[in-house]
Amino acid sequence: MKRKILSVLLTAAFVAATIAGCGGAAQQAADTAAQTADAAADTAAAAEEKVEETADAAADAAADTAATVEEAAEEVQEAAGGSGDVINVGFAQVGHESDWRTASTKSAQDVFSEANGYNLSFVDCDNDSAAQLEAVRGFIEQGVDYIIIDPIVSTGWDTVLTECDDAGIPVIVIDRTIDDSDKYVSWVGSDFLTEGKAAGEWLKAYAEKQGIKEINALIIQGTTGSSAQIGRTDGFSEIADREGWTILDKQTGDFTEEGGQQVMESYCKSYAGKFNVVVCENDNEAFGAMTAMDNAGVKYGPGNDVILISYDACTAGLKEVQAGKITADFECNPLAAPTVEGVIQTLQSGGTPEKQILVPDNWYALPDQIVDFSVDGNAQKMIEVTDEVIEAQY
Ligand code: GYE
């Protein structure tokens, strides 16, 4: 635009100068026109300089802002401890049925935190298998980088795992197992069958020490069809069958305190005076069973008529061992999330993680209930419940 004005003015000056050839007044007009053109040219040059300065200043400011944004992004990345982008993880958790589950959820949320470079989509499936399949499909739609599943039940998985596979999303199974598909990268969890066998072998050794000849057991099972229920029931039953014990009944308490209480209330009525062992497949069921036995006047725990066996050995469970209520508690470690994170990091760096990764467990009791026993020929070590042990538990 400036250039156009300038050339119009110069043309006007030229025309004026040409006319000036015709007389003095015209000469004056031509001089004036030339001066005007010079002044206009100066103004245009100054304006051009000003615009350039302003543009330079704006460019500098923009560059400064860009540098600041870049620095901030680098700082966030550094804080995340990684060099790459945030990793999106979907976790379809079983529910919130027990102390064990609370510890498992907290561990996963701590590990897959923003500070550690993760964006965690967490779904509490409230012990509903259909909701859990839906949650996994939701993660596929979301396009997460990894899917973690703690399967409520061990079957019914192949279709949805195929969908994950087709979408190119690696699945990691945590805690309970999937038994009808192998379309997952790794499983990280405890050996439930061994837990069940340990409870059985301990009972055999303890009954011998106490001079108890006959075992009449009642089992309060976990969620039907969950691998934790299947493994613990099968492991204990294997020893019971071998030793010729009587299992009077087994019903599910769904891994909840309420469920454990309800089942035990009905057992106390149906089997009054006929049982000397109660096996609860988790601590919360044991708490419910304790309430039911208290109400029915049944005495349990070391030195009493009924031996109470439990699994999980979370803080609350170990407190009941210490209080002389639970006779022995067989741990299931809920802190598998850090190992799952290791699997994800291996995948991130192009490695191949192990298909099965076992989380080790311990068995707990008070000194008088600690006995020597083996599982599948392997000598077991029991841990005495003390304040420090309880303090260190979850
Ligand atoms: O024993 C129980 C929880 O799957 C091992 O689920 C887990 C079990 C645990 O509800 O307390």
Side-chain angles (χ1 to χ4, degrees):
M1 174 61 95
K2 274 181 287 130
R3 269 175 224 285
K4 211 167 195 185
I5 294 168
L6 191 58
S7 82
V8 169
L9 288 170
L10 287 171
T11 310
F14 174 77
V15 171
T18 311
I19 295 168
C22 303
Q27 179 62 50
Q28 215 179 327
D31 287 351
T32 308
Q35 276 165 15
T36 309
D38 279 352
D42 286 351
T43 309
E48 199 163 349
E49 239 169 69
K50 193 82 204 148
V51 166
E52 266 165 27
E53 268 170 31
T54 311
D56 283 352
D60 284 352
D64 284 352
T65 309
T68 316
V69 168
E70 208 169 316
E71 266 166 36
E74 271 167 20
E75 270 167 34
V76 168
Q77 235 170 49
E78 235 168 74
S83 53
D85 296 334
V86 164
I87 301 173
N88 293 298
V89 172
F91 179 17
Q93 173 64 292
V94 168
H96 50 273
E97 70 285 359
S98 64
D99 285 46
W100 190 100
R101 191 63 53 199
T102 305
S104 152
T105 293
K106 184 181 180 302
S107 164
Q109 286 171 341
D110 287 350
V111 168
F112 298 107
S113 63
E114 263 177 45
N116 287 343
Y118 292 94
N119 174 29
L120 176 66
S121 298
F122 177 85
V123 179
D124 174 334
C125 301
D126 201 13
N127 217 27
D128 176 344
S129 294
Q132 193 166 40
L133 293 179
E134 219 175 279
V136 173
R137 293 197 165 106
F139 296 148
I140 297 174
E141 236 168 77
Q142 240 176 277
V144 297
D145 300 310
Y146 298 95
I147 295 176
I148 304 172
I149 303 172
D150 191 328
I152 297 168
V153 291
S154 63
T155 54
W157 285 101
D158 201 53
T159 305
V160 79
L161 289 195
T162 305
E163 289 166 28
C164 295
D165 202 26
D166 291 347
I169 304 174
V171 171
I172 298 134
V173 181
I174 188 170
D175 171 35
R176 301 182 187 175
T177 56
I178 284 178
D179 297 338
D180 63 353
S181 177
D182 64 354
K183 295 192 184 79
Y184 57 87
V185 177
S186 289
W187 163 78
V188 182
S190 293
D191 182 344
F192 307 121
L193 187 70
T194 295
E195 290 172 2
K197 287 182 189 178
E201 298 287 16
W202 168 82
L203 178 60
K204 177 185 181 281
Y206 181 63
E208 267 167 24
K209 181 185 167 196
Q210 298 293 105
I212 298 167
K213 297 267 172 315
E214 226 181 276
I215 299 287
N216 292 299
L218 287 166
I219 302 181
I220 302 180
Q221 296 175 294
T223 299
T224 309
S226 67
S227 70
Q229 174 271 309
I230 297 167
R232 290 169 189 168
T233 303
D234 287 355
F236 184 82
S237 302
E238 189 182 310
I239 311 305
D241 289 349
R242 189 191 71 201
E243 298 300 317
W245 299 337
T246 303
I247 294 181
L248 295 165
D249 210 341
K250 41 186 184 206
Q251 287 176 32
T252 183
D254 233 353
F255 282 133
T256 65
E257 179 163 352
E258 203 192 4
Q261 184 173 339
Q262 274 172 13
V263 173
M264 197 64 224
E265 277 165 1
S266 102
Y267 281 169
C268 284
K269 286 186 194 128
S270 313
Y271 302 100
K274 294 188 179 130
F275 61 93
N276 61 351
V277 173
V278 173
V279 181
C280 296
E281 287 182 356
N282 81 341
D283 283 341
N284 293 80
E285 288 181 341
F287 306 152
M290 283 158 48
T291 306
M293 288 192 278
D294 288 342
N295 293 340
V298 175
K299 299 268 179 273
Y300 52 89
N304 287 314
D305 303 341
V306 173
I307 294 167
L308 179 57
I309 294 173
S310 183
Y311 298 89
D312 280 358
C314 289
T315 306
L318 291 188
K319 281 185 178 163
E320 296 302 344
V321 174
Q322 194 179 44
K325 304 280 183 183
I326 293 175
T327 321
D329 207 342
F330 296 82
E331 185 186 38
C332 183
N333 191 323
L335 310 182
T339 310
V340 171
E341 207 232 341
V343 169
I344 288 176
Q345 289 305 330
T346 303
L347 292 170
Q348 284 289 104
S349 55
T352 308
E354 300 274 314
K355 184 85 183 182
Q356 294 203 329
I357 304 171
L358 267 185
V359 177
D361 296 321
N362 292 305
W363 325 131
Y364 295 91
L366 287 176
D368 284 350
Q369 285 67 53
I370 291 181
V371 287
D372 289 335
F373 66 95
S374 306
V375 173
D376 296 327
N378 302 313
Q380 305 291 302
K381 203 173 160 295
M382 290 189 84
I383 293 179
E384 176 190 340
V385 176
T386 60
D387 287 341
E388 294 71 46
V389 165
I390 293 175
E391 189 65 29
Q393 208 72 335
Y394 17 75

